[in-house]
Amino acid sequence: MSLLALGVAIAHLVAPDLKIDNVTVALLVIAVVPWLRELFTSIELPGGLRVEFRDVEQRIEAAEAMADAALVGGGAGSGDADDPAALEDVRRLAAEYLAVRADMRAGSARTQRMNGIFARLVRATQRLAAPDLAAWLASPDGGLRLAAYARLYAVPDAAALRPLADAVTDEPLAFGQYWGIRALDKVVDLVGPDEVPPQVVRRLEDCRPNGADRAHLLDRLIAKIHALT
């Protein structure tokens, strides 16, 4: 959009008998608007058109609160004994996740399907009293790793901090890494940001996710840890 607006502005300038007017100014402003987020909360264009920059952080936090209510609130919680069918359900959902990844083209439809599977994994893993999270986190099976992230997202466990950090930083699947970071954030809150070992912090700092959403979540988590250390 920025390049298109600049191109139209230049064409408007070089065309015969045209001068710099409100149209040109408006197009130039539109071109640079995406780069002004950090400097302005709003900007007014010629003709009275006003562009508002919303607080992205507040929207993310609101979405996360809704996700917590929908995912964790609907879970049964870990009890003293396993639901006999729970482990079978977890393995079935883990396999379904991998099948969806393999069979569907990357995009919003696939992400929506995988989010639905994750929500069901959250509920299924809460029916297990003591799942083998260490084995799941170290598993070559991306579905079982996602199951571990789902469990720790719903039921954070301080003992899982290091293996979870290791799994998240090595996670090759973008969707799994996203939810792994979200789960890690909850475990860090449980442990206390000031109690996170320096080795874990360095591991997180050395991780460079490709996706903007994952990079944002990880940067926010690291900032939270540093703020209290």
Side-chain angles (χ1 to χ4, degrees):
M1 287 296 293
S2 297
L3 291 175
L4 178 61
L6 279 173
V8 175
I10 293 171
H12 191 67
L13 281 173
V14 300
D17 302 324
L18 288 180
K19 60 181 180 179
I20 298 177
D21 55 12
N22 284 345
V23 175
T24 304
V25 173
L27 291 170
L28 289 172
V29 171
I30 290 172
V32 299
V33 159
W35 312 105
L36 300 179
R37 272 182 201 278
E38 302 300 325
L39 301 178
F40 301 101
T41 58
S42 65
I43 190 168
E44 190 163 347
L45 304 179
L49 177 62
R50 189 176 181 84
V51 178
E52 296 285 346
F53 294 116
R54 298 182 183 275
D55 188 337
V56 177
E57 286 291 337
Q58 289 182 355
R59 287 190 295 167
I60 290 175
E61 290 172 3
E64 289 175 347
M66 291 177 63
D68 285 347
L71 295 175
V72 181
S78 56
D80 295 329
D82 290 348
D83 178 331
L87 186 57
E88 180 180 343
D89 288 344
V90 168
R91 294 189 181 279
R92 176 179 54 79
L93 289 167
E96 183 181 346
Y97 161 65
L98 294 179
V100 168
R101 278 197 80 257
D103 297 341
M104 293 185 68
R105 179 179 300 179
S108 59
R110 187 177 79 169
T111 300
Q112 185 176 359
R113 281 282 303 276
M114 293 193 300
N115 276 328
I117 294 169
F118 182 83
R120 284 181 283 157
L121 276 170
V122 166
R123 292 189 287 272
T125 57
Q126 288 182 85
R127 290 156 50 203
L128 294 169
D132 191 351
L133 293 176
W136 289 2
L137 289 169
S139 174
D141 186 323
L144 287 179
R145 294 196 304 274
L146 186 69
Y149 303 148
R151 167 66 179 219
L152 290 168
Y153 180 81
V155 187
D157 182 350
L161 176 62
R162 291 199 185 201
L164 176 57
D166 290 341
V168 166
T169 53
D170 289 336
E171 179 59 60
L173 305 181
F175 183 84
Q177 189 175 51
Y178 172 84
W179 282 109
I181 296 171
R182 296 283 302 273
L184 184 59
D185 187 83
K186 290 182 175 294
V187 173
V188 167
D189 284 342
L190 177 66
V191 172
D194 55 335
E195 296 296 326
V196 178
Q199 301 91 329
V200 171
V201 178
R202 285 196 295 270
R203 189 79 189 261
L204 298 178
E205 290 173 336
D206 290 340
C207 181
R208 294 290 182 268
N210 290 326
D213 56 345
R214 287 171 286 141
H216 171 76
L217 288 174
L218 188 59
D219 287 345
R220 189 177 64 176
L221 175 57
I222 294 170
K224 177 198 295 187
I225 295 171
H226 283 311
L228 296 177
T229 55

